[in-house]
Amino acid sequence: MTESKHTQEPQNTKSIFNLPNNLTIARILMIPLFVAIAYWPPAMGIGMPAISDNVIAKVGMSEFSDSLLRHLLLTGVFILAAITDWLDGYFARKLNVVSAFGRFLDPVADKLMVAAALIILVQWHPNIIMAIAAIVIISREIAVSALREWMAELGKSTSVAVSYVGKLKTTFQMIAITVLLLNWESLETVGYVLMVAAVILTLWSMMIYLRAAWPYLKQSG
């Protein structure tokens, strides 16, 4: 969930199982469901274009019904996960319920879902663009998470707060992954363009974090 400043003090809840955290937990539970849909049952087509323009023009979509169903289900689960990401942040602000558990779990849930989707997409599209995209995006999340933890130990966590570029990066990532999960032939180029843009924004946002942390990183001791 996305935390923000409030005009009033956050409530101290006795249970970590409040509505925002429950939505975050639900998002994590969607990951095994997401993977299961991607690979089971094996009889349903996967990785081939879910809708081929040539097939639609000549013989219709019946040959691709199984593949199409799987890709629609995968896309639906991913979109639902993205919606819960927005909702848990909304309810955290609306209900003024903020917890350390939520601050920890929310970014973890987001990164796990994105990583799972990228790994599946690399298998479907074993090319250099998808491989570089997965490596850059996953590596950036690991590096920035470690950087934030280290800065928090120094009491400088606000120096590496989420930037506008970081939010834009997340938006492009989510849209690109959604388009590629559909696996429609006519949208493939759009998906790749969006993914390349997401990679560029990913690198840019990482540079912003590193620049903010550099004065502390170069200190001796």
Side-chain angles (χ1 to χ4, degrees):
M1 76 195 95
T2 303
E3 310 292 355
S4 64
K5 294 182 179 178
H6 306 282
T7 55
Q8 53 183 335
E9 289 299 320
Q11 296 177 5
N12 293 319
T13 57
K14 294 182 179 180
S15 174
I16 61 174
F17 297 107
N18 51 56
L19 179 57
N21 288 349
N22 287 341
L23 288 170
T24 302
I25 293 170
R27 188 157 72 256
I28 292 177
L29 294 177
M30 290 180 196
I31 297 171
L33 174 63
F34 183 82
V35 176
I37 291 172
Y39 295 104
W40 189 89
M44 293 174 65
I46 200 72
M48 67 181 72
I51 300 181
S52 169
D53 293 339
N54 293 331
V55 169
I56 290 174
K58 293 180 180 179
V59 298
M61 294 169 51
S62 58
E63 295 181 21
F64 293 84
S65 59
D66 287 346
S67 178
L68 176 60
L69 174 61
R70 190 195 294 267
H71 285 285
L72 288 175
L73 288 172
L74 280 172
T75 306
V77 171
F78 188 80
I79 291 174
L80 182 60
I83 291 173
T84 64
D85 182 28
W86 179 83
L87 283 176
D88 61 20
Y90 170 79
F91 283 118
R93 294 186 296 270
K94 185 76 173 178
L95 302 176
N96 199 28
V97 177
V98 179
S99 67
F101 182 74
R103 289 193 183 99
F104 155 73
L105 195 63
D106 179 68
V108 171
D110 299 340
K111 292 170 178 56
L112 289 176
M113 177 57 83
V114 168
L118 286 172
I119 291 170
I120 290 171
L121 286 174
V122 168
Q123 184 178 6
W124 296 354
H125 306 279
N127 56 60
I128 192 169
I129 295 178
M130 282 306 308
I132 290 176
I135 291 169
V136 168
I137 292 172
I138 294 174
S139 298
R140 181 265 186 196
E141 298 302 341
I142 294 172
V144 170
S145 295
L147 184 63
R148 283 176 175 164
E149 181 179 354
W150 179 72
M151 292 292 286
E153 291 178 0
L154 299 179
K156 303 292 183 181
S157 57
T158 55
S159 300
V160 287
V162 177
S163 66
Y164 171 76
V165 176
K167 294 178 180 179
L168 192 62
K169 173 268 302 179
T170 300
T171 301
F172 269 82
Q173 278 182 16
M174 293 301 183
I175 297 175
I177 291 173
T178 299
V179 171
L180 290 171
L181 284 174
L182 282 171
N183 211 31
W184 292 2
E185 189 175 75
S186 57
L187 295 177
E188 185 173 308
T189 300
V190 175
Y192 276 112
V193 170
L194 289 169
M195 186 60 75
V196 170
V199 169
I200 293 171
L201 289 168
T202 296
L203 292 171
W204 186 5
S205 67
M206 186 170 67
M207 290 299 103
I208 292 175
Y209 287 120
L210 288 173
R211 186 173 62 181
W214 183 248
Y216 308 99
L217 288 171
K218 68 181 182 181
Q219 291 176 1
S220 60

